[in-house]
């Protein structure tokens, strides 16, 4: 699960990133409007936290740009503005939730989990695809009712593939989603192939390897049938 935190208070940004990383999320942050726009134009995110007051722009404008780009993830406003008009304006702009500062990081995590279930997992706590059942909160995968042994990256890769089933995902998009913008310094994407190979082998050993397909010269996709 990849999250972008748009927040101009660097200590708060770093605190949120540190906490969410300890909860297993891949996190990045943007301190300015321009930086946020650059990131959302270059990278894909599952959840975006947006502060309304930024030194060079307005968080509402970011939300509107996300909606114009047909962003499919979840948006949570984090703001010190607490009037009813501010909350209504923020939600009407396209945000999914509104969290008033100051807030407890545990509450933020709960809001993220709730939004993830609602937006990405269609309201459920599990994702089921034929013989495969994924429990994102527990980081568990079951094949035909039996728990599957996966590394953290293999779990994240499978979750990314399944939540984007029937879509071709390039090696670049997989690398960027799992490792963030740190991947810009990578010399190649051979490690993506290695993770795909390992995941496919484990799926094949469980009798469900047919779902993970290679689209030669393009990338990979997970099919339902």
């Amino acid at each position: 699960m990849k999250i972008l935190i748009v927040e101009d208070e660097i200590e708060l940004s770093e605190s949120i990133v540190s906490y969410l990383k300890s909860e297993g999320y891949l996190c990045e942050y943007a301190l300015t409007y321009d930086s946020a726009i650059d990131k959302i134009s270059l990278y894909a995110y599952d959840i975006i936290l947006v502060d309304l007051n930024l030194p060079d722009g307005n968080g509402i404008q970011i939300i509107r740009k996300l909606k114009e780009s047909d962003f499919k993830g979840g948006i949570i406003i984090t703001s010190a503005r607490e009037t009813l008009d501010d909350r209504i304006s923020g939600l009407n702009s396209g945000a999914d939730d509104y969290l008033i500062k100051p807030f407890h990081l545990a509450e933020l995590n709960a809001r993220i989990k709730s939004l993830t279930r609602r937006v990405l997992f269609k309201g459920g706590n599990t994702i089921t695809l034929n013989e495969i059942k994924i429990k994102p909160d527990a980081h568990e995968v079951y094949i035909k009712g039996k728990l599957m042994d996966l590394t953290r990256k293999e779990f994240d890769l499978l979750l990314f593939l399944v939540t984007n089933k029937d879509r071709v995902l390039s090696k670049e998009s997989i690398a960027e989603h799992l490792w963030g913008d740190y991947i810009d310094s990578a010399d190649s994407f051979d490690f993506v192939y290695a993770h795909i190979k390992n995941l496919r082998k484990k799926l094949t050993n469980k009798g469900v390897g047919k779902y993970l397909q290679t689209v030669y010269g393009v990338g990979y996709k997970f099919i339902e049938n």
Side-chain angles (χ1 to χ4, degrees), residues 43-86:
Y43 308 113
Y45 300 94
D46 298 300
I47 302 288
I48 298 182
L49 312 181
V50 183
D51 183 18
L52 295 184
N53 295 321
L54 298 169
D56 55 343
N58 188 297
I60 296 294
Q61 295 171 309
I62 294 174
I63 295 170
R64 287 173 179 160
K65 285 184 179 295
L66 285 167
K67 290 302 178 179
E68 289 170 2
S69 67
D70 199 29
F71 176 66
K72 300 297 185 184
I75 302 171
I76 300 176
I77 290 174
T78 57
S79 176
R81 299 183 192 176
E82 55 182 330
T83 69
L84 179 61
D85 286 344
D86 287 327

Side-chain angles (χ1 to χ4, degrees), residues 23-187:
E23 292 294 310
Y25 299 103
L26 177 64
C27 300
E28 299 171 7
Y29 66 82
L31 299 174
T32 65
Y33 173 89
D34 285 342
S35 176
I37 294 300
D38 286 344
K39 282 185 175 291
I40 63 178
S41 66
L42 292 172
Y43 308 113
Y45 300 94
D46 298 300
I47 302 288
I48 298 182
L49 312 181
V50 183
D51 183 18
L52 295 184
N53 295 321
L54 298 169
D56 55 343
N58 188 297
I60 296 294
Q61 295 171 309
I62 294 174
I63 295 170
R64 287 173 179 160
K65 285 184 179 295
L66 285 167
K67 290 302 178 179
E68 289 170 2
S69 67
D70 199 29
F71 176 66
K72 300 297 185 184
I75 302 171
I76 300 176
I77 290 174
T78 57
S79 176
R81 299 183 192 176
E82 55 182 330
T83 69
L84 179 61
D85 286 344
D86 287 327
R87 282 178 283 170
I88 291 174
S89 176
L91 294 171
N92 283 342
S93 70
D96 300 287
D97 200 353
Y98 195 110
L99 188 57
I100 298 171
K101 296 178 183 178
F103 51 80
H104 290 285
L105 293 175
E107 181 182 3
L108 173 61
N109 189 30
R111 299 283 189 104
I112 290 171
K113 287 183 177 180
S114 175
L115 182 56
T116 299
R117 289 193 295 269
R118 188 166 78 244
V119 175
L120 300 180
F121 306 151
K122 304 185 187 304
N125 291 313
T126 62
I127 304 170
T128 302
L129 191 148
N130 298 333
E131 307 98 320
I132 303 171
K133 180 178 287 187
I134 302 175
K135 295 184 176 182
D137 288 349
H139 292 90
E140 293 177 345
V141 177
Y142 292 84
I143 307 294
K144 302 175 183 177
K146 295 184 178 180
L147 183 63
M148 190 176 185
D149 181 24
L150 295 176
T151 67
R152 180 54 189 269
K153 285 301 181 187
E154 288 167 354
F155 174 87
D156 290 343
L157 174 58
L158 179 60
L159 182 61
F160 186 46
L161 289 164
V162 170
T163 54
N164 287 278
K165 69 177 188 296
D166 297 322
R167 290 180 54 196
V168 178
L169 301 173
S170 68
K171 288 187 293 185
E172 291 82 359
S173 67
I174 292 172
E176 186 274 324
H177 192 86
L178 297 182
W179 283 271
D181 52 9
Y182 300 107
I183 206 63
D184 290 343
S185 60
D187 295 328

